[in-house]
């Protein structure tokens, strides 16, 4: 099973939203993959659960969150070798944090451009995030189809 890690700053908004969307779509499309999320600077947010606006948008998309009552997780508490893909949600915001983190600065990270509030409204950032996760699911689905065809041809 492929494992994806979504990362943002506090692990309460964009990364949690991405995790829930990914797991919902993977299950819906019978893709053997799962996601988790973490934050780069959880700090004071360690006692926070998913941000209510993220819950609101999950509801709009018909997604019942599986981890809505769980607290933020700092990325340093995870074994990053467990994940085949790590995605930081905003390169401009997160790359400097990655560079200064000795656990992260030597591993491969994919960067998206999902800007946080208040710089970008959630009405723009969360639909954009949903679309990026949907594209990721489709690419995993296509990879699975190609692997199955290769198996049949061999």
């Amino acid at each position: 099973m492929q494992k994806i890690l979504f990362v943002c700053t506090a692990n309460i908004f964009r990364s949690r939203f991405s995790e829930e969307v990914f797991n919902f779509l993977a299950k819906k499309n019978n893709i053997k993959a799962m996601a988790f999320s973490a934050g780069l600077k959880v700090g004071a947010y360690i006692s926070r659960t998913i941000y209510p606006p993220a819950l609101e948008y999950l509801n709009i998309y018909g997604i019942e969150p599986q981890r809505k009552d769980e607290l933020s997780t700092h990325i340093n508490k995870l074994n990053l070798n467990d994940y085949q893909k790590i995605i930081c949600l905003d390169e401009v915001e997160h790359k400097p944090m990655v560079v200064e983190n000795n656990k992260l600065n030597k591993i491969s990270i994919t960067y998206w451009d999902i800007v946080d509030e208040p710089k970008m409204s959630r009405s723009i950032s969360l639909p954009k995030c949903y679309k990026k996760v949907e594209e990721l699911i489709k690419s995993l689905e296509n990879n699975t189809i190609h692997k199955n065809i290769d198996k049949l041809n061999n």
Side-chain angles (χ1 to χ4, degrees), residues 6 8-13 15-16 37-39 42 67 71-73:
F6 291 102
C8 69
T9 304
N11 189 224
I12 61 169
F13 187 42
S15 60
R16 293 289 288 271
S37 63
V42 172
R67 292 195 328 113
L71 301 178
S72 297
T73 302

Side-chain angles (χ1 to χ4, degrees), residues 82-120:
D82 290 344
Y83 299 93
Q84 287 72 47
K85 188 172 199 71
I86 299 173
I87 300 168
C88 283
L89 290 162
D90 181 5
E91 184 169 11
V92 172
E93 179 183 357
H94 298 136
K95 195 164 194 173
M97 294 180 217
V98 166
V99 168
E100 68 183 34
N101 184 319
N102 290 332
K103 189 172 179 180
L104 301 173
N105 60 20
K106 292 175 181 64
I107 62 173
S108 177
I109 295 180
T110 299
Y111 291 95
W112 287 356
D113 62 344
I114 311 298
V115 179
D116 203 359
E117 291 186 311
K119 292 179 184 174
M120 183 179 288

Side-chain angles (χ1 to χ4, degrees), residues 12-13 16 48-56 116-117 122:
I12 61 169
F13 187 42
R16 293 289 288 271
R48 296 269 308 268
T49 57
I50 190 169
Y51 189 44
L55 291 171
E56 174 189 333
D116 203 359
E117 291 186 311
R122 68 187 73 141

